[in-house]
Amino acid sequence: MLRAGPPRKRRAANSLFCYWNHNFRGLKNVADFEIPALKEYPVIPLIQVGSMAHSKPFVAKPDHQDAVGFPHELVDNWEEKAVKKLGELVQGSRALQVFLDACVKCGACTDKCHYYLGTSDPKNMPVARQDLLRQVYRRYYTFAGKYFPWLVGARDMDKEVLDDWYSYFHQCSQCRRCSVFCPYGIDTAEISMAAREVMDSVGLGQKYCNEILGKVYTIGNNLGLPEPALRNTLEGLEEEVKEDTGVDVRFPLDEKGADVLLVTPSADFFAEPHVDGLIGYGKVFHQAGISWTMSSYASEAGNFSMFIGSGANLKKTTRRIREAALDLGVKRLVVGECGHAWRVAYSFWNTLIGPFDFLDPKYPAPQHICEVTHDLIQRGALTLDKEANDHRIITFHDSCNVARASRMGNMPGGQFVIPREIIKSVANHFHDMAPDTIHESTYCCGGGGGLLTDDLIELRIKGALPRVEALKQVVDEHGVNFMAAICAICKSQFTKVIPYYDFPMEMIGSLHQLVSSAIQLKTKE
Amino acid sequence: MSALTITYALLFYAATAILAIGVFRKIFIYARTPAPLLIPTTPAPTTATGVVWRMFKEVTVFESLFKSNKWIWIFGWMFHLALFLVLLRHLRYFTEPVWTVVALVQPYGKYAAFAMVAGLLGLWARRFVVDRVRYITNLSDHLMLLLLLAIGVSGILMKFGIVGIVDPAHTDIVAVKAFFLGLMYFDWQPLPADTVLVIHLTLVAVLMIVFPVSKLLHAPGVFFSPSRNQVDSAREKRHVAGWTAAETPGSK
Ligand code: HEM
Ligand code: HEM
Ligand code: SF4
Ligand code: SF4
């Protein structure tokens, strides 16, 4: 049951709202850098000092800065203010406090970052990235750094340091792979977030993240998709599914009294292949007879406030979700396929916008769409035809933030089991990639953490190398032709970059796209 | 009372005070600093008991390091285990009567010194041989290894050194013990004036003094690492602290 290509409406919108997805089919930039060769066996490269020093994202303009509440441009005395802000952040975070002190420079993390593996730039080794911040912290806030800076590599805050920060803290996708392998769990993501917050606070913001946050505040989602357009799109989807299946599957918006509020990354409304996932959610709810709705006010699960480490913005963005849930009177909160969005929802929502005492206590709050689907499959509530996916040989990409910063189900590691069980219930051919590239050791897609922007395309292509190498192995060994993902960023990033490695972008799909293909709607009508 | 005895008595009081106050101060800061959001590296235990087990594995067998890099693990674990045995063995200078465990490890403990030195040499070699590790190494990282090596080697020289080369006789460890017990009970006894012993003790004092201002803070720090010590219970239990507990958004 394959759909016959996207309808016109969808494709036109795709080029209008290109924040999530820059896949203009057929367009492959001629790169002015070398695409890394895919090796048979992963090799740890020798360091090449400064090889990515030129990589810098566009700087936020004054109106982007306004939206997130930061100064327009580099303020006077920024050195002093940056140091002061850093001190405040460390004082307010046990993680920073411990991480900045505890590193013994053992080197265990040096070969764990996909950006190091893909670029060979030593400042992309997690410990070296941390040191960019640690050198300043030591200089101003530790005994050794104050009196013996040369001994411990401490440095004054100056323009050169700031340039390094801007460059290399935007070469970290905050994927936490380093944190898994560090003997003290030092999480470079936390350091990157802090550095970005410090830079924002002195007026040096990143355009991509800050502009997107502005759209969330004014319009409700990262795409800047207003309510009428959203409604129109969803109606389009209803028609499309009707055409394909002959069944009236609804994609409701702002319907008061629904049981479930689905909050999903706005890419799901438009981008390819995300939208096939959304269709899948709709079919699941439909067949299970669950009444659900989306909200135009809280039409974004993604949350770039985390990427810029801004507590103020995290509070402000997530509050919209609580407001929408209360306003619509729903009983459950369900989150669509997205990695960092699920981290924010799973790990932070209860803290930021809880308690969820107004929701039905029978269900976890929030719940991942995969948990919902998995539950329904277990209970036999879905009619699935595995053969519908027989043309696909499938592998699964664990999204970094789902794998290492959240959970599904009620046992540790459920986030690995549940998606795979779903795939195995809807398809016959599934092969995992190499064990050291999946589960908690999964490699980031290379576009997470606020880096999914064309001004960082070189970084994105190179950073995808370890994942693509693992993919190539299962393609060669098992003929894999479909990599399912559960993250809007992963899907956008892969469709954009794997063509550079000579894989077709159609290989990338949503997990719920597989569910969508297998689900037999008519049987239960 | 000799000048040497007085100097070293004062030195060890000072070093002990710096070590104790410095480390407790840090522990106090770690404990007091809020952890505003839940950030355990998952999959993480869902119960407090589970976290204790996770932490136990981290500090006894360096579980994450084992997953990460076998060479660092071998050298690092060898060094730390040996250090542990050496320190356990040293407790005999500070206890009377000597505890049974301490007495039991004496015969094995003395060979631990060699394992400790070997581990340190392996770790140090990595700082020269592996280009990535060379890149992240500061002078202080070299000096820390040098310091520990020098302590280990001077200890070995006392224990196994051929008597007569540096000092005329084997270190009078009974007198050393008397000196340290004397410090503890404020009843000072003379310190033997052996060259190697004095070097050993000086270096040990340096180690104690730098402990609270150096990367050796990893020892207390590991227990406070939120990515390792938090329970994965975000949905079940509401967690607020620091700025997440504050009313006004982002008031940090
Ligand atoms: C709770 C106790 C401790 C734990 C869990 C612990 C754990 C670790 C781990 C996992 C490493 C990284 C791997 C390695 O290089 O060995 C390390 C490094 C190190 N530890 Fe410890 N440690 C502890 C106590 C100590 C103490 C008491 C000392 C010294 C007096 C010490 C000195 C060092 C040094 C110098 C390094 C760096 C080695 C290098 O330069 O490569 N550790 N520790
Ligand atoms: C105040 C503290 C210390 C005192 C009084 C002390 C004293 C001594 C003495 C007297 C010996 C010779 C043992 C013999 O000849 O039988 C020795 C050996 C040794 N010491 Fe220390 N030491 C101290 C701290 C340390 C520390 C912190 C380390 C390690 C970092 C260390 C490492 C060693 C080693 C490896 C040996 C040789 C093997 C052994 O006898 O266990 N010592 N120490
Ligand atoms: S693994 Fe951890 S302690 Fe070792 S160098 Fe990396 S950050 Fe530092
Ligand atoms: S969080 Fe991920 S991207 Fe950032 S340094 Fe660690 S491994 Fe690299």
Side-chain angles (χ1 to χ4, degrees):
Chain A
M1 255 202 276
L2 263 184
R3 284 178 310 101
R8 273 235 315 287
K9 201 186 295 166
R10 203 204 284 173
R11 208 180 296 146
N14 225 351
S15 52
L16 268 178
F17 304 98
C18 53
Y19 279 100
W20 278 97
N21 197 345
H22 306 265
N23 319 311
F24 306 118
R25 271 164 212 266
L27 185 102
K28 185 168 156 182
N29 301 342
V30 185
D32 51 1
F33 51 88
E34 239 174 273
I35 312 290
L38 296 178
K39 297 169 292 316
E40 199 72 19
Y41 299 100
V43 176
I44 305 167
L46 291 175
I47 62 172
Q48 282 174 33
V49 176
S51 61
M52 283 301 275
H54 59 278
S55 174
K56 287 182 184 5
F58 295 152
V59 174
K61 302 211 172 67
D63 49 323
H64 307 141
Q65 290 290 89
D66 264 342
V68 277
F70 295 118
H72 287 179
E73 52 186 24
L74 211 53
V75 295
D76 295 333
N77 272 343
W78 63 268
E79 294 92 339
E80 216 173 282
K81 286 177 184 145
V83 168
K84 184 160 168 275
K85 180 75 185 178
L86 174 60
E88 287 165 17
L89 290 181
V90 175
Q91 254 181 21
S93 159
R94 185 184 298 158
L96 290 177
Q97 194 81 247
V98 171
F99 295 167
L100 289 171
D101 279 349
C103 174
V104 295
K105 312 292 167 79
C106 68
C109 60
T110 53
D111 57 348
K112 301 299 183 283
C113 176
H114 51 290
Y115 290 121
Y116 175 70
L117 297 175
T119 68
S120 310
D121 190 316
K123 284 181 182 156
N124 278 331
M125 301 188 298
V127 45
R129 197 188 313 285
Q130 298 157 24
D131 275 352
L132 295 176
L133 189 128
R134 192 177 281 117
Q135 63 187 355
V136 177
Y137 172 74
R138 284 197 166 153
R139 183 72 183 101
Y140 297 94
Y141 294 105
T142 68
F143 174 84
K146 275 183 200 159
Y147 302 104
F148 307 96
W150 45 274
L151 195 63
V152 293
R155 261 193 85 165
D156 286 344
M157 186 74 202
D158 60 19
K159 190 68 177 59
E160 216 176 295
V161 169
L162 186 70
D163 284 347
D164 260 1
W165 280 27
Y166 194 71
S167 184
Y168 292 100
F169 287 120
H170 291 113
Q171 299 190 42
C172 171
S173 57
Q174 309 177 340
C175 76
R176 314 190 91 199
R177 190 166 195 268
C178 45
S179 147
V180 169
F181 292 102
C182 170
Y184 320 113
I186 296 177
D187 181 6
T188 318
E190 291 294 314
I191 311 263
S192 288
M193 290 170 192
R196 293 185 192 179
E197 165 89 334
V198 171
M199 289 189 283
D200 266 330
S201 75
V202 298
L204 179 61
Q206 185 222 21
K207 174 172 179 267
Y208 176 67
C209 283
N210 294 4
E211 186 178 23
I212 277 184
L213 279 166
K215 287 191 202 299
V216 174
Y217 294 138
T218 51
I219 302 164
N221 53 58
N222 292 0
L223 294 184
L225 190 61
E227 190 265 345
L230 184 52
R231 188 170 298 280
N232 193 311
T233 311
L234 295 176
E235 277 163 14
L237 286 185
E238 289 178 354
E239 284 163 28
E240 186 185 329
V241 177
K242 172 85 181 178
E243 244 171 64
D244 280 352
T245 65
V247 177
D248 285 308
V249 174
R250 304 226 29 238
F251 290 88
L253 186 67
D254 295 333
E255 285 187 6
K256 290 203 184 214
D259 281 346
V260 167
L261 170 62
L262 175 83
V263 188
T264 206
S266 56
D268 281 359
F269 302 131
F270 272 112
E272 287 282 354
H274 311 59
V275 71
D276 301 291
L278 177 59
I279 292 174
Y281 320 154
K283 289 183 180 172
V284 168
F285 286 131
H286 175 92
Q287 191 165 68
I290 296 170
S291 85
W292 67 293
T293 185
M294 289 170 276
S295 154
S296 59
Y297 178 68
S299 44
E300 182 59 69
N303 197 324
F304 283 28
S305 327
M306 182 178 76
F307 299 157
I308 61 169
S310 167
N313 283 293
L314 260 178
K315 280 192 172 175
K316 204 169 146 196
T317 41
T318 48
R319 206 162 42 208
R320 299 174 79 91
I321 299 188
R322 183 184 174 94
E323 284 162 12
L326 285 168
D327 183 44
L328 295 167
V330 295
K331 303 197 187 78
R332 298 165 63 182
L333 272 171
V334 174
V335 179
E337 296 179 3
C338 189
H340 81 281
W342 179 240
R343 176 182 193 183
V344 172
Y346 174 88
S347 296
F348 304 161
W349 274 7
N350 199 1
T351 295
L352 295 168
I353 54 170
F356 291 121
D357 41 14
F358 56 93
L359 296 174
D360 184 346
K362 283 207 300 287
Y363 300 93
Q367 210 177 2
H368 196 284
I369 186 71
C370 285
E371 294 179 309
V372 175
T373 302
H374 183 249
D375 244 31
L376 293 169
I377 293 175
Q378 299 277 296
R379 297 196 336 238
L382 303 180
T383 314
L384 300 164
D385 173 18
K386 286 191 190 192
E387 283 168 21
N389 278 311
D390 269 356
H391 57 298
R392 291 177 172 139
I393 303 170
I394 301 162
T395 193
F396 178 68
H397 166 73
D398 289 287
S399 297
C400 52
N401 272 270
V402 175
R404 294 186 280 260
S406 74
R407 182 173 34 122
M408 286 181 205
N410 47 23
M411 60 158 199
Q415 66 269 41
F416 311 133
V417 179
I418 287 176
R420 286 175 174 76
E421 284 196 356
I422 296 178
I423 295 177
K424 288 177 191 161
S425 336
V426 299
N428 284 314
H429 312 296
F430 175 76
H431 301 277
D432 253 321
M433 288 179 276
D436 54 342
T437 72
I438 57 169
H439 294 186
E440 64 174 345
S441 303
T442 186
Y443 280 109
C444 167
C445 62
L451 310 180
L452 188 75
T453 168
D454 276 357
D455 30 323
L456 293 174
I457 191 67
E458 177 182 357
L459 178 77
R460 287 169 54 192
I461 291 173
K462 292 182 173 174
L465 178 77
R467 169 46 78 226
V468 178
E469 277 179 345
L471 174 64
K472 183 178 188 315
Q473 207 186 333
V474 285
V475 169
D476 292 347
E477 278 170 26
H478 304 289
V480 162
N481 61 11
F482 191 95
M483 180 158 75
I486 47 170
C487 171
I489 290 179
C490 297
K491 293 170 204 169
S492 297
Q493 156 74 354
F494 283 133
T495 41
K496 173 88 183 186
V497 304
I498 62 167
Y500 289 92
Y501 291 102
D502 297 323
F503 288 108
M505 65 165 79
E506 292 76 16
M507 274 186 83
I508 308 303
S510 300
L511 187 140
H512 272 80
Q513 180 177 347
L514 300 172
V515 179
S516 173
S517 300
I519 202 163
Q520 302 296 302
L521 293 181
K522 281 259 172 64
T523 52
K524 288 234 170 155
E525 283 303 305
Chain B
M1 198 129 306
S2 72
L4 181 82
T5 304
I6 295 172
T7 312
Y8 277 80
L10 296 177
L11 176 65
F12 271 91
Y13 280 135
T16 309
I18 291 172
L19 175 69
I21 295 170
V23 171
F24 276 113
R25 182 179 154 270
K26 269 295 177 186
I27 289 179
F28 180 74
I29 292 174
Y30 293 152
R32 188 201 53 194
T33 308
L37 293 167
L38 285 178
I39 58 164
T41 312
T42 59
T46 52
T47 60
T49 329
V51 164
V52 171
W53 177 233
R54 181 185 204 179
M55 191 60 80
F56 178 79
K57 286 185 292 182
E58 286 295 355
V59 301
T60 52
V61 296
F62 299 178
E63 188 188 28
S64 296
L65 187 61
F66 185 77
K67 281 189 274 190
S68 188
N69 187 308
K70 298 294 185 283
W71 282 114
I72 308 180
W73 183 85
I74 287 169
F75 293 133
W77 196 69
M78 183 155 77
F79 156 59
H80 283 86
L81 184 69
L83 175 70
F84 180 72
L85 288 175
V86 165
L87 293 180
L88 202 60
R89 211 171 103 82
H90 274 65
L91 279 181
R92 72 190 187 282
Y93 300 121
F94 308 95
T95 49
E96 185 58 49
V98 173
W99 306 346
T100 323
V101 241
V102 177
L104 282 176
V105 296
Q106 294 301 325
Y108 317 100
K110 62 184 175 205
Y111 301 107
F114 294 100
M116 178 176 138
V117 167
L120 286 167
L121 286 174
L123 289 170
W124 207 2
R126 283 183 58 79
R127 297 205 179 275
F128 294 100
V129 177
V130 182
D131 68 333
R132 304 187 307 281
V133 185
R134 193 163 60 222
Y135 182 88
I136 57 167
T137 300
N138 287 312
L139 186 54
S140 56
D141 302 310
H142 286 301
L143 292 182
M144 185 59 74
L145 289 171
L146 182 67
L147 177 64
L148 286 163
L149 264 174
I151 293 175
V153 171
S154 58
I156 289 176
L157 276 181
M158 277 188 283
K159 177 84 202 142
F160 302 97
I162 301 151
V163 176
I165 297 184
V166 187
D167 291 309
H170 194 279
T171 308
D172 181 356
I173 57 168
V174 177
V176 174
K177 177 165 185 167
F179 173 78
F180 279 96
L181 284 176
L183 288 186
M184 290 163 65
Y185 298 108
F186 301 102
D187 170 22
W188 292 8
Q189 304 296 321
L191 178 71
D194 296 1
T195 317
V196 183
L197 175 67
V198 170
I199 293 174
H200 191 71
L201 294 184
T202 312
L203 296 172
V204 169
V206 171
L207 183 75
M208 292 163 75
I209 291 166
V210 301
F211 199 102
V213 293
S214 71
K215 66 177 186 181
L216 297 183
L217 287 173
H218 70 281
V222 60
F223 297 100
F224 290 92
S225 172
S227 54
R228 290 287 182 272
N229 77 4
Q230 287 183 338
V231 180
D232 173 12
S233 61
R235 291 191 292 196
E236 293 78 17
K237 229 171 95 191
R238 184 148 187 259
H239 166 102
V240 289
W243 66 262
T244 54
E247 267 313 307
T248 36
S251 53
K252 3 178 169 173

